[in-house]
Amino acid sequence: MLVLLNKQIKQIIDYCENNPSIEVCGILAGNNAQVKKVLFITNQYDSPTRFFMEPIELLQAFYWMDEQKMELLGIFHSHPNGPEIPSMTDIKEFNYPGVESVIVTPKNGNWELFPYIIEDQSFKLSKIISC
C-alpha cells in the first residue's frame, strides 16, 4: 500500500500525458508507505514498450533519498498503450523486493495508477490511498 497526495498523483499523470510516446519512469520516496517525493528518472531506452532508468540519475536519486532519510517505496513507469498490469519483462526485471511497482496507463480516456507487489515471478494488485 502507498499513500500519495493528490498533487503527487497529478504530477505523475501530467508527466505521462506530456510524454505519451514513451514509457516514462521514476521512483517514489518516503517513509512508512507515505510518499514524500516523486523523482522522475529518464528512460534510457526512450521506448514506448520498455524502460531502463538512466543509471547516473537513479544513483543520484538514491543518494538524495539517503541524505533525506527516506526509503524507496515504489518504482513507477507508464504503459502508454496499456495494459494496466505488469508485463512479463516488468516481472522478470523487477529487482526491488518489498517495493511497490506502479503502472500508469490511460484507461477509459484517463490516466490511472495501478500498484502491484511483484514477487516470486508473479504479481498481485496492491492499493493506493490518495489524500
Side-chain angles (χ1 to χ4, degrees):
M1 176 189 73
L2 292 169
V3 180
L4 286 107
L5 299 174
N6 290 326
K7 71 178 185 176
Q8 293 168 326
I9 293 172
K10 184 175 177 357
Q11 275 182 301
I12 294 168
I13 289 172
D14 286 350
Y15 192 65
C16 292
E17 287 177 338
N18 290 329
N19 296 279
S21 62
I22 64 166
E23 286 194 4
V24 299
C25 50
I27 59 177
L28 304 171
N31 300 99
N32 303 317
Q34 175 67 59
V35 174
K36 295 182 179 176
K37 182 76 172 169
V38 176
L39 297 158
F40 298 100
I41 310 289
T42 301
N43 177 358
Q44 194 170 35
Y45 288 159
D46 199 33
S47 164
T49 57
R50 294 277 316 267
F51 80 100
F52 184 77
M53 290 193 209
E54 201 287 320
I56 300 297
E57 289 180 33
L58 184 58
L59 186 59
Q60 289 171 335
F62 283 136
Y63 283 138
W64 182 86
M65 285 189 305
D66 191 47
E67 290 170 356
Q68 302 301 313
K69 308 243 185 295
M70 290 186 201
E71 301 169 4
L72 176 62
L73 300 178
I75 304 275
F76 70 88
H77 73 282
S78 64
H79 283 180
N81 302 308
E84 71 268 8
I85 61 172
S87 68
M88 290 308 295
T89 302
D90 292 338
I91 294 167
K92 186 169 70 170
E93 294 180 354
F94 194 79
N95 295 311
Y96 300 93
V99 172
E100 303 260 347
S101 175
V102 179
I103 307 293
V104 189
T105 193
K107 189 162 182 169
N108 302 321
N110 296 307
W111 287 83
E112 295 183 37
L113 281 66
F114 297 89
Y116 295 95
I117 300 293
I118 297 177
E119 56 189 12
D120 301 324
Q121 296 302 303
S122 64
F123 65 91
K124 65 181 177 183
L125 190 62
S126 184
K127 184 177 184 178
I128 289 178
I129 296 174
S130 60
C131 51

